[in-house]
């Protein structure tokens, strides 16, 4: 799909943001409330001890990975506020069911491989996803460490953007710990992508300053556009809530075509 597949970030947001920036040149977290979309980080953490995560819902290495990254934000002078997904957004219910089915299929394949004494590491990684034990542990950690968190009514994206608009871009920045580009579509003021705790580098995306009304590259010019027109582009290119289908059931169109 054009936007929801991550192409939005790869083709528009990242080129508009430019090269990676080191925190020594500019620290985007210092003194800010760092509104954190934790789902992407949680998914990466699930690949730590994936067999245990797939079977038990949590692992020690998974917990350590999450806390290491959150502590890294505090070390840079930020204050983390986690925003967690709430109920499944009704239009995305089928997509969530599909993902659960894919995960269970991977578990079955992993067990079958192990029964044949074959390496099943790839299948266990495919099966491992954030589960209730992780979220319960994380919320308790927040309570114990006096770290604010919010459970959104549905998905976290809209809540993150709403909070940033309420607090203001001078007081709050969104940290998207994933490749998801939906935050820009919802009108986020500033989003930190590609934060690397080891290299201390990141990209900063400001939709209204870097994209809307600007020439991004040779393929994408948004000169003369407003936000509403940009949002129409995002919707037309397809996403999790709207599966754009062409003839013979094929999914399309890409961003360039739109």
């Amino acid at each position: 799909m054009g936007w929801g597949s991550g192409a939005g970030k790869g083709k528009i947001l990242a080129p508009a943001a430019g090269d990676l920036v080191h925190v020594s040149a500019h620290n985007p977290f210092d003194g800010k409330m760092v509104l954190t979309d934790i789902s992407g980080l949680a998914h990466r953490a699930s690949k730590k001890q994936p067999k245990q995560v797939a079977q038990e819902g949590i692992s020690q290495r998974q917990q350590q990975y999450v806390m290491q990254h959150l502590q890294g934000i505090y070390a840079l002078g930020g204050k983390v506020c986690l925003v967690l997904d709430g109920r499944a957004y009704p239009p995305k219910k089928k997509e969530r069911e599909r993902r659960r089915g894919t995960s269970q299929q991977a578990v079955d394949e992993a067990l079958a491989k192990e029964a044949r004494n074959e390496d099943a590491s790839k299948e266990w990684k495919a099966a491992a996803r954030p589960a209730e034990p992780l979220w319960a542990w994380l919320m308790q950690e927040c309570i114990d460490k006096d770290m604010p968190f919010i459970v959104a009514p549905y998905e976290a994206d809209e809540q993150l953007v709403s909070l940033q608009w309420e607090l203001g871009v001078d007081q709050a920045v969104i940290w998207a710990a994933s490749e998801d580009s939906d935050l820009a579509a919802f009108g986020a003021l500033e989003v930190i992508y590609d934060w690397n705790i080891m290299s201390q580098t990141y990209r900063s995306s400001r939709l209204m300053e870097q994209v809307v009304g600007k020439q991004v590259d040779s393929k994408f010019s948004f000169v003369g556009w407003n936000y509403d027109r940009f949002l129409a582009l995002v919707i037309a290119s397809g996403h999790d809530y709207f599966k754009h289908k062409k003839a013979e059931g094929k999914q399309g169109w890409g961003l360039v075509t739109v």
Side-chain angles (χ1 to χ4, degrees), residues 7-18:
K9 175 178 175 291
K11 292 185 177 181
I12 295 178
L13 299 180

Side-chain angles (χ1 to χ4, degrees), residues 101-165:
T102 300
S103 181
Q104 183 56 52
Q105 182 181 357
V107 169
D108 296 340
E109 291 172 356
L111 292 172
K113 274 197 167 185
E114 288 189 343
R116 299 192 299 267
N117 293 318
E118 298 176 7
D119 178 29
S121 56
K122 181 179 178 181
E123 285 73 20
W124 284 122
K125 283 186 177 181
R129 299 178 59 81
E132 286 301 317
L134 174 70
W135 302 124
W137 164 80
L138 184 58
M139 286 189 283
Q140 189 60 54
E141 283 290 299
C142 288
I143 293 169
D144 294 342
K145 293 179 169 55
D146 196 27
M147 185 189 307
F149 72 94
I150 293 175
V151 180
Y154 290 103
E155 294 196 327
D157 296 337
E158 298 97 322
Q159 185 70 66
L160 285 158
V161 174
S162 177
L163 282 169
Q164 188 178 47
W165 275 89

Side-chain angles (χ1 to χ4, degrees), residues 179-245:
E179 296 299 299
D180 197 339
S181 49
D182 287 345
L183 288 162
F186 284 116
L189 300 171
E190 182 177 18
V191 181
I192 302 301
Y193 288 106
D194 298 336
W195 161 241
N196 188 310
I197 192 173
M198 302 303 294
S199 66
Q200 298 281 285
T201 55
Y202 68 94
R203 282 191 177 88
S204 172
S205 174
R206 292 192 175 211
L207 178 69
M208 301 306 293
E209 295 177 19
Q210 298 169 333
V211 178
V212 177
K214 301 295 190 299
Q215 178 84 37
V216 173
D217 58 20
S218 60
K219 290 183 178 178
F220 295 102
S221 173
F222 301 105
V223 175
W225 286 43
N226 58 19
Y227 169 70
D228 289 345
R229 187 174 180 182
F230 180 81
L231 184 58
L233 165 77
V234 172
I235 294 170
S237 67
H239 47 82
D240 285 341
Y241 313 126
F242 172 55
K243 297 299 187 184
H244 211 337
K245 302 213 182 247

Side-chain angles (χ1 to χ4, degrees), residues 18-53:
D19 296 334
L20 290 167
V21 178
H22 196 279
V23 293
S24 61
H26 176 71
N27 182 350
F29 305 117
D30 190 24
K32 298 271 187 85
M33 178 68 76
V34 183
L35 308 171
T36 303
D37 176 10
I38 195 67
S39 60
L41 183 64
H43 275 277
R44 292 204 303 273
S46 296
K47 309 309 175 184
K48 312 298 179 182
Q49 293 177 294
K51 180 177 180 179
Q52 184 177 349
V53 171

Side-chain angles (χ1 to χ4, degrees), residues 35-90:
L35 308 171
T36 303
D37 176 10
I38 195 67
S39 60
L41 183 64
H43 275 277
R44 292 204 303 273
S46 296
K47 309 309 175 184
K48 312 298 179 182
Q49 293 177 294
K51 180 177 180 179
Q52 184 177 349
V53 171
Q55 293 183 317
E56 301 176 21
I58 197 167
S59 76
Q60 186 176 23
R61 285 188 61 198
Q62 179 190 33
Q63 294 169 305
Q64 291 171 343
Y65 185 87
V66 170
M67 293 310 300
Q68 178 189 23
H69 282 75
L70 297 182
Q71 289 164 359
I73 298 297
Y74 278 102
L76 291 171
K79 183 177 182 180
V80 174
C81 176
L82 298 184
V83 180
L84 311 179
D85 289 331
R87 295 184 63 189
Y89 189 49

